[in-house]
Amino acid sequence: MADSGRRQRRAFIGSFTAAGGPGIVTAAVAPDSGALTVLSSVDAVPDPAYLALSPDGDTLYSVSETADGAVAAYRVTGDTPEPAGPLVPVGGDGPTHLSVFAGHVLTANYGSGSVTAVPVRPDGTLARSASGVLQHTGSGPHSPRQQGPHAHQVQPDPSGRWAVSVDLGTDSVRVCMLADGVPGLHQEIALRPGSGPRHLVFHPDGQGAYVLNELTPTVTVCRWDGADGSLKPLAETPVLPAAPAGDAYPSGIAASPDGRFVWTATRGEDVLSVFAVEGEALRLVTTVPCGGHWPRALAEAGGFLYVANERSGDVTWFAVDPHTGVPRRGGSVRVPAASCVILG
């Protein structure tokens, strides 16, 4: 982030305005404790449910998770995000995730089951229209959640050559590329029918990937080859020590920078799961309470975990034990209908 040596690290928190959320919240991050202090909020965009930063950290991108899906850009060189241009339609319904890839912002559109590319101008603002849309096809055995495609996440791979989209509705992961701003399919990898993949995180070594499944509380461990853009599922590991008694919908996943640990969040059970990375396998170490209700997303930064708890309306931070990977609750800030948290 520009001027990082002269200003404090910040967190950006998305929320559902339709459920009473304040929009996008900016918080200062205490370097020693990881504690958050709210600085400002802005509600210029309906339902900014997921956020992503530009490579230089000066521009924040937000989805508008609505039926007429859109994406927006903000300048974040100050303590309050400032809109940088109008909303840009993505030609898809319910964009639920976005990332920056190859000079474009990509959105995963859950409702329409598609991925959209919007060009980024040299100054970080967005072009006035999308450059292309990749429509997913297919379905799965789980009714009604898998009657059609539901793209839930899209992100670059560690090499920066490929974009990887995770589709809950089709039980698959798609490896994509951009040609003249248009996303195209390179390969589709099938996962277990009915698993409902939601989010994926890469191992820091660039050779492994972990797919968190929402419809069954598991993680699919995969081998990733960035040279040819291939993903090979290896094994599926439960995120809970026993079968859940009620609702259990995994949501967020993160990996430690040193590659020794993976963490997941599960809604309903309202827990964080701690995994030790053992070669090409994950071992469930323990679970701990998430500090709220309905943890929708989590992020790791600087030895701390941050959890956006949607239904309790707060973001909780945890200090991670560097030897065991087990998080210890530090505190929380109030953010109604919190949906995501990212660190800049």
Side-chain angles (χ1 to χ4, degrees):
M1 180 174 290
D3 298 329
S4 59
R6 296 191 297 274
R7 71 186 184 202
Q8 195 171 30
R9 191 171 204 177
R10 291 173 295 171
F12 300 98
I13 302 161
S15 67
F16 290 104
T17 57
I24 298 173
V25 171
T26 303
V29 182
D32 296 332
S33 66
L36 302 181
T37 302
V38 171
L39 299 173
S40 67
S41 65
V42 57
D43 62 356
V45 171
D47 289 342
Y50 209 87
L51 311 171
L53 279 167
S54 62
D56 65 7
D58 287 343
T59 307
L60 182 72
Y61 303 105
S62 167
V63 299
S64 179
E65 192 175 332
T66 58
D68 298 322
V71 65
Y74 294 83
R75 295 297 189 204
V76 288
T77 50
D79 288 338
T80 301
E82 298 178 358
L87 279 169
V88 178
V90 298
D93 175 4
T96 190
H97 187 271
L98 81 170
S99 60
V100 181
F101 173 70
H104 294 71
V105 166
L106 304 182
T107 66
N109 310 314
Y110 181 85
S112 53
S114 58
V115 170
T116 299
V118 178
V120 176
R121 295 167 171 160
D123 64 356
T125 60
L126 297 169
R128 295 302 177 95
S129 61
S131 55
V133 178
L134 174 64
Q135 179 62 53
H136 293 185
T137 59
S139 60
H142 190 290
S143 180
R145 297 291 304 279
Q146 293 186 315
Q147 293 180 345
H150 293 299
H152 215 306
Q153 183 201 40
V154 61
Q155 64 170 319
D157 87 300
S159 76
R161 297 181 58 196
W162 313 99
V164 179
S165 63
V166 181
D167 195 302
L168 182 148
T170 63
D171 292 317
S172 61
V173 175
R174 288 168 173 81
V175 181
C176 309
M177 61 183 68
L178 282 182
D180 298 323
V182 179
L185 180 63
H186 169 68
Q187 183 180 148
E188 182 177 358
I189 300 92
L191 302 183
R192 183 174 58 80
S195 56
R198 177 183 173 96
H199 274 205
L200 175 153
V201 68
F202 287 100
H203 191 278
D205 68 6
Q207 299 177 31
Y210 309 100
V211 183
L212 183 62
N213 301 306
E214 177 174 339
L215 300 183
T216 55
T218 61
V219 176
T220 302
V221 180
C222 304
R223 184 180 302 139
W224 171 251
D225 188 337
D228 61 8
S230 64
L231 185 75
K232 181 181 180 180
L234 301 175
E236 201 171 328
T237 302
V239 302
L240 301 171
D247 291 341
Y249 301 113
S251 54
I253 185 167
S256 64
D258 62 10
R260 297 173 56 220
F261 304 107
V262 168
W263 302 280
T264 66
T266 301
R267 295 163 294 178
E269 290 284 302
D270 292 345
V271 296
L272 305 181
S273 299
V274 183
F275 295 89
V277 177
E278 298 179 342
E280 289 188 323
L282 291 180
R283 175 175 57 86
L284 179 61
V285 175
T286 190
T287 63
V288 299
C290 71
H293 180 35
W294 215 252
R296 185 175 176 87
L298 79 162
E300 189 281 339
F304 299 94
L305 280 179
Y306 298 86
V307 184
N309 297 306
E310 181 182 357
R311 294 186 180 175
S312 56
D314 48 43
V315 174
T316 307
W317 62 88
F318 297 79
V320 175
D321 186 305
H323 303 292
T324 66
V326 176
R328 183 183 71 256
R329 187 182 187 276
S332 66
V333 292
R334 175 75 176 157
V335 180
S339 55
C340 86
V341 54
I342 65 170
L343 282 291

